[in-house]
Amino acid sequence: MSERRACRVLALPRSTKRRPPGMGEGHELVARIHALSERYPRFGDRKSYTLRQGEHWGVSRETVRRLRQREGLQVVKRIRKHRSVGVSTTAPTRAAYPKHGWSYDLVPDETTDGRRLQCLTVLDAYTREGVTIHWARSITAADVVHVLQRLFAQRGAPSYMKSDNGPEFIAQQVTTWLRTHHVDTPFIDPGSPWQNGQNESFNGVLRDGCLNRWLFAAVQEARRLITHWREEYNHERPHGALDELTP
């Protein structure tokens, strides 16, 4: 088969095929960018550039962006239709120091056999640290109390726990237990997820970088992969709200 026809079949530009070795930009840099994209497939140009700075490659962000674009490594994001939102009627709460305030929420998923899987996420509102992710087939108010008991014993109690109006969080068993530990329980307005935006953002990153990436055959497999992802989020992923530091 001729070179012209072979390149046409493979959708390969002939100029690329004919390029002598060593003419392109740092093969070592390109290989490292590929390795990072394989390890962190949902990291975009900004986070890839931040990791490059940490390794002292001495390249610009534009160079990283151009190389990722040339290698076809862009992160494709779904464009959602913007909808008008209401005005909050709840007094805003803002964490002023680590462990001042935590927020928690439930994220649904399922295993490959179609059975339900739920994740209880707890986030430190100041440091953006994923405090824990508890997973089970179903999570009740008693499960929420059990998880908080373990966290309070390990880390101490925060000043408040923010959540939506899910039945697992507004249950008397949960609110009464938190009051006995002198923890406030601010609830967001119904249908107003933006009032708990930090936890919603964390849940979105969890969904995009872990739950949508992997298929879970069993709860044990989900436990291993989600635990690994949380460690990666807390210790390796640069966070824009923290000046590109990790939580």
Side-chain angles (χ1 to χ4, degrees), residues 54-67:
E55 295 180 356
H56 307 291
W57 276 89
V59 297
S60 66
R61 179 175 172 181
E62 175 61 24
T63 300
V64 174
R65 185 201 65 79
R66 180 170 50 80
L67 289 176

Side-chain angles (χ1 to χ4, degrees), residues 79-94:
I79 300 178
R80 298 182 179 180
K81 181 179 179 180
H82 292 282
R83 299 180 180 179
S84 59
V85 297
V87 179
S88 172
T89 59
T90 301
T93 54
R94 184 178 182 85

Side-chain angles (χ1 to χ4, degrees), residues 152 157-161 175 177-186:
F152 287 9
S159 298
Y160 68 85
M161 295 286 302
T175 56
W177 185 86
L178 287 172
R179 290 194 195 100
T180 60
H181 288 75
H182 309 289
V183 178
D184 293 333
T185 55

Side-chain angles (χ1 to χ4, degrees), residues 210-227:
C210 183
L211 302 184
N212 286 351
R213 183 182 178 191
W214 301 107
L215 293 175
F216 305 129
V219 175
Q220 291 79 6
E221 184 178 19
R223 177 182 297 114
R224 179 173 58 84
L225 291 173
I226 294 175
T227 299

